[in-house]
Amino acid sequence: MSESAEGGSVAVRQNPGRQAAKLASRVGSFVLTLAATFVGLTAVTFFISRLTNIDPVLAIVGDKATSAAYDNAYLALGLDKPLIVQYFIYLMRLLTGDFGRSVLTSQPVLADLLRVFPATFELATIAIIIGVVVGVPAGVIAGATKGRWPDQVIRVVGLFGYSVPVFWLGLIGLFVFYGKLGWVAGTGRLDVFYQGVVTQRTGVILIDAALEGNWEIVGNAFSHLILPAGILGYFSLAYVARMTRSFMIDQLSQEYFTAARIKGNSYWRAVWRHAFPNIMVPLITVIGLSYASLLEGAVLTETVFAWPGLGLYITRALFNSDMNAVLGGTVLVGAVFITINLVSDLLYKLADPRLRAS
Amino acid sequence: MSAPLLTVEDLEVSFPGRTGFTRAVRNASFTLGRERLGIVGESGSGKTTMGRALLGLLPRTAQVTARTMSYDGTNLLTCTERDWQKLRGRRLSMVMQDPKYSLNPVMRVGRQIAETALLHLRTDRGDAKRRTLAMLEAVQIRDPELVYRLYPHQLSGGMGQRIMIAMMLIAEPDLLIADEPTSALDVTVQNEVLRILDDLVRVRGMGLVMISHNLTMVSSFCDRVLIMYAGRIVEECAASELQNAKHPYTQALIAATPSLDVRRTELATVTRDPEWLK
Amino acid sequence: MSDTLGTWLMSETPMSRRQAVIGSVYRAVRSIIFNPTALIGLIIVTLLIFMGIFAPLLSLGNSPLAQNLAGRLAAPSADHWFGTDELGRDILARTLYGARATLAIVALVSVIVVPIGLTVGTVAGYLGGWVDAVLMRITDIFLAFPRLILALAFAAALGPGIENAVIAIALTSWPAYARIARSETMTIAHSDFIQSVVLQGASTWRILFRHIVPLCLSSVIVRLTLDMAGIILTAAGLGFLGLGAQPPTPEWGAMVSSGRDVILDQWWVATIPGLAIFIVSLGFNLLGDGLRDVFDPKSR
């Protein structure tokens, strides 16, 4: 760049053709990664499901069926074909939106998933809000006070979160806040008394009840939600805070941070105004990952709190070798993973001027 | 020369290490008026540490002591964090080495410059922007309105460093510390950036401390030169007198400088004498 | 005398290779001992091992399996310090014996995971090209899966039991190690000393296992220690869901599960084993954090 000759004109360094090619190859490899992940996830689940020594035919026809009925079901399920062909057939059916029927609920798996997912969504969303609203500032403060007492306190709180078994914390939470103090409601999404009162629109009870203006139910749903969401939020907080702290420490040793202080910014102003915007990109990825793992169904939390979400659904299906349901749940998990990936990719292009298309 | 701007007596900076303290700056004393002072030394000689000590920006673990360290009547040794905030940027400022790292990558450069003005001058956003555009003009940016809206990654190194200068001078400090301001730049733009820096310092009648390892550049650019070796100032002389330096280290440094006028097959290397540290 | 030995050990300019090695070991041990969190972690982990070995002595003559239906769900007392469970078994004894199950799972998972992760990671990192691409894609697939659900699927497919729980956890844990080993390998593989070994005509396998693997080991071990808590929690989770050790073997997760229905009245049944899981994972986390501080000064 012959800068002196130009005497200060802007150095434009973009070649539109190459940029488009680069973008295309990035999108291409991204799609490929996702497709591979998706196929891999279904394949792993599919072959595991065939490893089980529980007979999928018996699960459908029952153990009192005649041998003719058994054979018919066997052929109908395509079990006489090689495994790889069975998998391929299954994959093709998935692509047309046919998830099969659940043995356990005798409903189409897709309908089941649409029913259970909002419960998980409601729980995961409140939890991630807690995780971000508390975890990010905690991580920033810990990183900015590295080695001193606020850092130590936040570190210990985080370590507890990494160490405590969630199912146990859930039980203790129920014992203390529901059993002893009576501050929150018990297991499930609503008291029996309120169930079925609100028409399902979104499946998210807080929203459905609010739409009808039924604040009593909103309150009841909230008091059921707050304990499991708080516990999940604590775990996501521990993770988010730990990652934020280490991103922050990296930034604080950068020259631009010192430059910001030389300009006369106070330490904390430089932390929030200069260093913090620079950790947005990795932070979005971390929050995305954390949200994805919550949406994929918090199996143990949902079990402890009898929360009728995705995690509980997949677990129950596994125990009953309801393979259509397990596979359907897995596909949904994969879809969630892909969506979150896409969204965080989009978000961090907005957050970083270097990635933003001009 | 009027009363000195900066007085430093017996400055000591040390960092805790595995087996005790490492003394990065030892017994450094000097004064500075509204002149251009060069500090020259190899990497690790303590010149950057000394520069940062003058701005109160050393890491928490560093131990800083001095008999006197005062700036224009302010005792820097007793400054609180709040006092420092008022000094930095407004009274004394610093241009750092590499604009690629010293500009905030996610903030438009105009806002970065205007921020200094907003922090120190009683002004509003509109006025800060006007001042910023004027400042961009002063560092010879051709299209200030356009550059105002750019991000650092869209600038070349020479432009980046001019932005840095604008950012550090907009609040009109009396003293500027320039820590290797051109060593990260292409050779072709080094002189131009130096010229801009020189003009601004001259016109505003500021003091300048130029920290560098480049003896030739410093001697042609500054009025006075301090030579640092292993944390101590081993020699102080007028830039014009540098060729007559007495200290063996300075002489060795001069001998090790390549020159276009004298043809040499082999560059001299510096032979160190432990005596120098006594 | 001890002063000069101290200086010799702490020297920043060791005079021999032996001094450098001994010095760095000495400093590592020293910084673990002087790092309070790591020390607490080390003590907890040592106690766990101690508990496992001496469970018969420490359980005060109570058997972990002896049922006493008359004295079921008894509150903590002088006879049963931590009370009894739904079959009248002593919770203290069961908790102590439960340490064995935890130790067994942790040890077995480490033995399986580290070699697999190291092999996949170093091979992928050193050979590069399509081998790397294929291996890493497989790794990504396993990483994309929610860990507990995958472990659950494996455990459900293979049938419940402690061995299958170990296999399930190992299958879901190795990708992280492969990732670490790969990135370490990539930096090591380009260094000059590996190039010089190549020039000396060493075979690929020799380079991998004699030169690269030993250098990846320390970061893998740090990661393993940090992961221990996760392994213990996953194992306990599987136990809680009934897919871990089968009754009547005492296992902490299963013990919490058995106290679940009576949590509101007989809180101790679930509380004590849960607390044991918590303390032990905390111990491993503290130790791992300390080790990371020692081995990786950057993240301090």
Side-chain angles (χ1 to χ4, degrees):
Chain A
M1 205 66 29
S2 64
E3 244 281 318
S4 50
E6 294 172 359
S9 67
V10 183
V12 181
R13 306 167 155 176
Q14 279 145 355
N15 176 344
R18 214 172 49 194
Q19 280 228 324
K22 233 171 90 182
L23 189 72
S25 91
R26 263 191 69 189
V27 169
S29 81
F30 183 68
V31 169
L32 213 70
T33 306
L34 291 181
T37 310
F38 191 72
V39 170
L41 275 176
T42 49
V44 169
T45 332
F46 185 83
F47 292 116
I48 292 172
S49 76
R50 290 302 187 261
L51 277 177
T52 41
N53 37 19
I54 300 164
D55 192 333
V57 181
L58 279 185
I60 294 173
V61 296
D63 47 9
K64 293 191 183 80
T66 61
S67 81
Y70 182 94
D71 289 344
N72 279 338
Y74 187 83
L75 289 176
L77 287 171
L79 294 173
D80 53 330
K81 301 193 177 71
L83 257 188
I84 189 80
V85 176
Q86 288 183 38
Y87 172 63
F88 191 71
I89 293 171
Y90 178 74
L91 207 60
M92 287 297 108
R93 277 177 35 209
L94 274 189
L95 290 177
T96 59
D98 178 8
F99 285 62
R101 203 169 266 274
S102 158
V103 178
L104 204 60
T105 62
S106 56
Q107 296 278 319
V109 170
L110 197 59
D112 278 349
L113 290 176
L114 289 176
R115 184 168 45 78
V116 298
F117 190 67
T120 295
F121 175 79
E122 190 174 31
L123 191 60
T125 305
I126 303 284
I128 196 72
I129 289 173
I130 295 173
V132 171
V133 167
V134 184
V136 171
V140 170
I141 290 168
T145 60
K146 187 177 77 161
R148 288 181 286 138
W149 70 264
D151 181 28
Q152 303 290 5
V153 169
I154 291 165
R155 180 181 178 175
V156 169
V157 171
L159 272 179
F160 274 51
Y162 271 90
S163 310
V164 69
V166 56
F167 52 90
W168 179 73
L169 195 61
L171 286 175
I172 299 294
L174 277 174
F175 171 61
V176 174
F177 294 108
Y178 169 64
K180 290 285 164 208
L181 300 171
W183 291 358
V184 301
T187 56
R189 292 179 82 186
L190 279 177
D191 287 356
V192 183
F193 180 67
Y194 290 115
Q195 271 164 19
V197 176
V198 170
T199 8
Q200 285 224 353
R201 289 194 178 86
T202 58
V204 179
I205 292 181
L206 286 179
I207 296 177
D208 287 344
L211 285 176
E212 287 188 8
N214 194 335
W215 301 108
E216 207 181 323
I217 290 198
V218 171
N220 185 258
F222 188 75
S223 82
H224 275 270
L225 184 60
I226 192 62
L227 188 57
I231 285 171
L232 286 176
Y234 177 40
F235 289 101
S236 118
L237 176 165
Y239 174 64
V240 170
R242 177 185 273 204
M243 299 310 287
T244 308
R245 175 183 182 272
S246 75
F247 297 148
M248 210 60 201
I249 288 171
D250 279 349
Q251 294 301 322
L252 297 188
S253 63
Q254 300 287 318
E255 289 283 280
Y256 75 81
F257 181 73
T258 313
R261 295 193 64 204
I262 293 173
K263 285 157 74 175
N265 277 301
S266 72
Y267 182 73
W268 286 104
R269 197 183 137 95
V271 164
W272 286 106
R273 292 288 184 88
H274 288 270
F276 183 64
N278 276 283
I279 66 168
M280 288 313 282
V281 169
L283 203 55
I284 287 168
T285 313
V286 162
I287 293 169
L289 275 175
S290 180
Y291 192 39
S293 74
L294 289 170
L295 280 177
E296 284 162 0
V299 172
L300 291 167
T301 311
E302 289 184 1
T303 305
V304 170
F305 288 94
W307 194 266
L310 184 59
L312 197 60
Y313 182 74
I314 296 180
T315 316
R316 283 212 180 123
L318 267 171
F319 279 115
N320 294 286
S321 52
D322 183 356
M323 280 310 149
N324 278 338
V326 173
L327 282 162
T330 313
V331 170
L332 182 58
V333 165
V336 165
F337 180 80
I338 290 167
T339 315
I340 299 273
N341 248 304
L342 274 170
V343 170
S344 66
D345 214 43
L346 268 176
L347 278 178
Y348 64 64
K349 277 194 194 103
L350 287 178
D352 191 334
R354 283 161 296 189
L355 300 173
R356 213 177 297 160
S358 50
Chain B
M1 200 166 66
S2 56
L5 211 49
L6 181 69
T7 312
V8 176
E9 274 185 287
D10 283 344
L11 175 65
E12 285 269 338
V13 181
S14 45
F15 294 96
R18 219 193 268 157
T19 48
F21 282 87
T22 310
R23 294 166 72 196
V25 177
R26 326 179 183 203
N27 292 321
S29 303
F30 64 94
T31 59
L32 174 85
R34 293 186 185 270
E35 56 177 330
R36 290 165 304 171
L37 175 72
I39 299 180
V40 181
E42 304 161 280
S43 31
S45 61
K47 50 192 195 318
T48 296
T49 306
M50 192 154 82
R52 301 236 160 153
L54 297 175
L55 283 164
L57 279 177
L58 289 171
R60 205 169 286 273
T61 51
Q63 301 222 328
V64 184
T65 60
R67 200 134 50 85
T68 323
M69 191 159 90
S70 71
Y71 174 77
D72 199 14
T74 312
N75 182 359
L76 298 181
L77 292 168
T78 56
C79 270
T80 62
E81 193 47 43
R82 195 165 288 263
D83 298 334
W84 275 118
Q85 282 164 36
K86 287 190 189 127
L87 283 173
R88 291 185 202 130
R90 178 72 176 111
R91 310 280 305 280
L92 68 171
S93 199
M94 183 187 233
V95 170
M96 296 160 90
Q97 186 168 354
D98 192 343
K100 209 161 44 202
Y101 303 110
S102 51
L103 293 173
N104 188 338
V106 300
M107 202 190 256
R108 292 179 199 275
V109 296
R111 266 192 62 206
Q112 297 195 46
I113 300 171
E115 188 189 26
T116 318
L118 286 167
L119 281 168
H120 295 293
L121 313 171
R122 294 220 177 91
T123 183
D124 55 51
R125 277 178 189 285
D127 183 53
K129 177 162 184 182
R130 264 192 305 282
R131 284 171 193 262
T132 303
L133 293 174
M135 199 63 220
L136 284 170
E137 205 123 19
V139 294
Q140 297 177 21
I141 298 280
R142 200 185 271 160
D143 191 348
E145 285 281 354
L146 173 66
V147 173
Y148 190 93
R149 276 174 284 121
L150 293 182
Y151 285 98
H153 72 278
Q154 294 168 305
L155 306 171
S156 64
M159 285 184 82
Q161 200 60 316
R162 280 185 266 165
I163 301 290
M164 183 81 196
I165 293 170
M167 185 166 98
M168 292 309 181
L169 290 185
I170 191 170
E172 297 171 348
D174 301 312
L175 172 64
L176 182 71
I177 301 168
D179 188 354
E180 305 266 14
T182 57
S183 54
L185 305 180
D186 284 351
V187 184
T188 48
V189 297
Q190 285 188 353
N191 280 326
E192 196 191 342
V193 168
L194 278 177
R195 209 195 65 236
I196 292 170
L197 191 61
D198 190 38
D199 283 353
L200 288 168
V201 169
R202 245 179 237 282
V203 168
R204 299 174 178 220
M206 301 166 54
L208 174 77
V209 175
M210 170 78 80
I211 297 172
S212 176
H213 61 268
N214 189 336
L215 203 60
T216 324
M217 189 265 276
V218 166
S219 64
S220 67
F221 191 76
C222 297
D223 306 318
R224 219 150 42 92
V225 180
L226 301 179
I227 310 287
M228 285 191 82
Y229 173 72
R232 75 178 52 214
I233 298 171
V234 294
E235 178 138 21
E236 175 180 350
C237 66
S240 51
E241 296 293 305
L242 202 60
Q243 295 304 322
N244 309 324
K246 292 179 196 70
H247 197 277
Y249 177 65
T250 318
Q251 291 169 350
L253 278 187
I254 294 169
T257 312
S259 157
L260 283 177
D261 308 327
V262 188
R263 180 176 288 272
R264 270 181 279 197
T265 48
E266 207 174 311
L267 270 184
T269 51
V270 179
T271 321
R272 281 142 227 276
D273 187 345
E275 279 293 305
W276 296 347
L277 291 180
K278 294 268 165 66
Chain C
M1 172 58 210
S2 71
D3 203 40
T4 53
L5 178 66
T7 341
W8 186 80
L9 285 167
M10 296 294 278
S11 169
E12 304 214 18
T13 48
M15 304 304 285
S16 68
R17 186 189 159 125
R18 198 168 54 111
Q19 184 185 356
V21 170
I22 297 174
S24 69
V25 169
Y26 172 75
R27 283 191 301 274
V29 171
R30 211 179 115 99
S31 48
I32 289 176
I33 290 172
F34 282 93
N35 179 334
T37 50
L39 189 64
I40 296 172
L42 191 64
I43 291 171
I44 293 175
V45 172
T46 315
L47 276 179
L48 170 74
I49 297 171
F50 191 75
M51 270 169 68
I53 296 173
F54 297 105
L57 290 176
L58 296 170
S59 52
L60 306 172
N62 284 313
S63 155
L65 303 178
Q67 300 184 4
N68 172 14
L69 292 177
R72 62 196 287 272
L73 296 173
S77 65
D79 288 339
H80 303 284
W81 288 11
F82 291 162
T84 61
D85 69 3
E86 76 285 0
L87 296 173
R89 297 172 297 196
D90 182 52
I91 291 179
L92 173 64
R94 287 181 68 74
T95 305
L96 287 168
Y97 278 91
R100 293 185 168 182
T102 302
L103 278 172
I105 290 173
V106 162
L108 288 173
V109 169
S110 316
V111 168
I112 299 173
V113 157
V114 171
I116 295 181
L118 270 177
T119 311
V120 171
T122 51
V123 167
Y126 188 70
L127 296 181
W130 66 267
V131 178
D132 183 34
V134 169
L135 288 176
M136 282 305 111
R137 192 83 323 124
I138 294 174
T139 312
D140 281 346
I141 290 166
F142 277 86
L143 277 177
F145 228 113
R147 186 169 172 177
L148 192 68
I149 290 189
L150 187 56
L152 224 108
F154 277 115
L158 301 170
I162 200 160
E163 303 85 359
N164 291 342
V166 166
I167 295 172
I169 294 170
L171 278 171
T172 53
S173 319
W174 67 267
Y177 299 89
R179 277 277 185 87
I180 291 172
R182 175 174 174 265
S183 70
E184 291 271 312
T185 306
M186 303 239 277
T187 45
I188 299 167
H190 295 293
S191 59
D192 290 341
F193 82 95
I194 292 294
Q195 298 307 319
S196 72
V197 180
V198 173
L199 288 175
Q200 284 169 29
S203 71
T204 301
W205 292 113
R206 190 182 161 85
I207 293 169
L208 276 178
F209 290 103
R210 292 295 294 274
H211 294 278
I212 292 179
V213 166
L215 286 171
C216 296
L217 220 52
S218 78
S219 44
V220 165
I221 287 173
V222 171
R223 172 70 207 225
L224 185 67
T225 320
L226 278 169
D227 236 21
M228 284 300 176
I231 293 170
I232 292 171
L233 292 177
T234 313
L238 288 177
F240 181 76
L241 294 171
L243 292 168
Q246 291 305 293
T249 317
E251 193 274 334
W252 294 341
M255 288 168 70
V256 175
S257 171
S258 75
R260 190 181 158 192
D261 297 332
V262 294
I263 183 73
L264 295 182
D265 304 308
Q266 285 89 22
W267 55 268
W268 56 89
V269 184
T271 304
I272 302 298
L275 209 55
I277 303 170
F278 175 43
I279 292 170
V280 169
S281 8
L282 189 64
F284 276 109
N285 269 330
L286 290 170
L287 182 62
D289 251 28
L291 284 180
R292 191 179 47 185
D293 286 354
V294 172
F295 286 111
D296 182 13
K298 261 190 320 209
S299 61
R300 216 173 292 180

